[in-house]
Amino acid sequence: KEPTVINDYYYSIVDQGIKNIYEQNYNNTLIKKGDVLDHAKLEKEDARISELMRDAGYYKFNNTNEEIFFVTDTLKSNKSVPLTLNIKKDSVNSPYKIAKIGKIDLAIVDSPKDFPQKLKKDSLLGINFHQADDMYKNRALWRSITLKSGEIYSQEMLDLTKRNFLKMNNFSILKAKDSLRNDGLGGQGNDGLVDVLYLLKPLPKFERKYGIDANYSQLLSFAFSPSVDLTTRNVFGGMENLSTSLTG
């Protein structure tokens, strides 16, 4: 079967802010004139543009997968067609708006039910910390958070913060929630503020891993020796981990 080729590629973007960002990054487009029309590549371009706009501050951009679509014109031919990228919202009453980070709350809990009633609240550099005790130093936790209240929302920074929490090897993430602040009546507010909440559950203070090391030599044939790796977490309150190994 003869493939369909894109003989021209156009774009139609109503919102000027979205259009400017798209044009600034136009050289990174995955769709080129002369390409074979490939639906998998169109889906990748859709994902690329969505990620680009979310990182530029457009909260939940194309979250329903209905704001980006491609149109082909097969009036003259179905083997060589022009392709048009369209970006627009269905509702003209809800224009695109750049969001900013609002409140940032981080809670150390054993269960989501612990937040917020069972915890003490403290604030440092615009971030609210909630703990039942002072087992973890707030400043050490703060260093893992790449978000700042008042800054333009970026999905990349939200994802990086979650990776930083996991990299500490002190917590599992029970909840990582971001949402537009409501207007007090249950609807979304017009100030474009995204409030962020992280619920972290401490990993066990001590963790043991057992293994068996196998060695071979011409004199001794096979030899097996057991090994134990012990990890002690949060040694000084700043998420420091101490690892020791014993081999028999």
Side-chain angles (χ1 to χ4, degrees):
K1 183 180 178 180
E2 185 179 351
T4 300
V5 175
I6 301 170
N7 62 29
D8 258 316
Y9 185 46
Y10 307 100
Y11 56 89
S12 175
I13 305 174
V14 176
D15 185 272
Q16 192 60 46
I18 299 291
K19 184 177 181 180
N20 288 342
I21 295 172
Y22 177 79
E23 290 178 340
Q24 290 167 11
N25 294 269
Y26 183 78
N27 290 337
N28 296 325
T29 181
L30 303 177
I31 311 299
K32 309 287 186 182
K33 178 181 177 180
D35 285 352
V36 171
L37 185 62
D38 183 343
H39 289 283
K41 185 176 285 189
L42 297 184
E43 290 177 357
K44 290 180 180 179
E45 178 68 356
D46 181 309
R48 184 192 72 85
I49 296 171
S50 297
E51 182 179 355
L52 178 66
M53 298 307 165
R54 291 169 189 167
D55 288 342
Y58 291 98
Y59 183 68
K60 301 292 187 183
F61 179 86
N62 195 36
N63 202 43
T64 61
N65 293 318
E66 296 176 348
E67 298 168 35
I68 298 176
F69 56 97
F70 297 89
V71 177
T72 57
D73 184 355
T74 58
L75 185 62
K76 294 182 180 180
S77 171
N78 60 1
K79 295 302 179 185
S80 180
V81 299
L83 178 69
T84 302
L85 161 70
N86 293 269
I87 302 178
K88 66 176 183 179
K89 276 191 173 184
D90 289 337
S91 174
V92 296
N93 297 322
S94 56
Y96 288 109
K97 185 175 182 178
I98 290 182
K100 293 186 177 181
I101 298 296
K103 293 190 302 179
I104 305 171
D105 288 273
L106 186 154
I108 309 298
V109 298
D110 290 320
S111 166
K113 297 178 181 179
D114 295 342
F115 177 79
Q117 289 84 359
K118 296 183 179 181
L119 308 176
K120 296 183 298 182
K121 179 181 176 182
D122 193 12
S123 296
L124 175 66
L125 299 172
I127 299 174
N128 300 317
F129 295 93
H130 307 260
Q131 299 190 58
D133 48 39
D134 297 321
M135 186 176 296
Y136 301 93
K137 296 177 182 177
N138 289 340
R139 185 167 292 275
L141 289 165
W142 169 82
R143 285 196 292 265
S144 296
I145 300 174
T146 58
L147 309 171
K148 186 176 181 181
S149 183
E151 287 188 344
I152 291 177
Y153 154 85
S154 168
Q155 185 62 48
E156 182 180 8
M157 292 297 101
L158 266 74
D159 295 339
L160 178 58
T161 296
K162 287 194 291 185
R163 291 198 297 271
N164 287 345
F165 289 146
L166 295 175
K167 193 183 299 182
M168 288 190 290
N169 190 25
N170 270 262
F171 307 102
S172 60
I173 301 176
L174 296 183
K175 177 185 284 189
K177 179 183 178 183
D178 52 89
S179 56
L180 277 176
R181 184 177 300 176
N182 65 45
D183 58 7
L185 301 174
Q188 291 183 346
N190 294 319
D191 50 6
L193 292 177
V194 177
D195 294 328
V196 183
L197 169 65
Y198 296 103
L199 299 184
L200 306 183
K201 180 177 181 177
L203 294 174
K205 178 72 174 181
F206 302 102
E207 181 179 354
R208 294 179 178 85
K209 291 184 179 179
Y210 300 93
I212 296 178
D213 297 325
N215 300 289
Y216 172 78
S217 71
Q218 292 182 343
L219 295 176
L220 298 175
S221 188
F222 280 102
F224 298 93
S225 57
S227 63
V228 179
D229 294 327
L230 174 64
T231 299
T232 305
R233 294 188 172 93
N234 194 39
V235 178
F236 302 112
M239 276 67 71
E240 309 89 349
N241 294 342
L242 175 65
S243 297
T244 54
S245 297
L246 300 173
T247 301

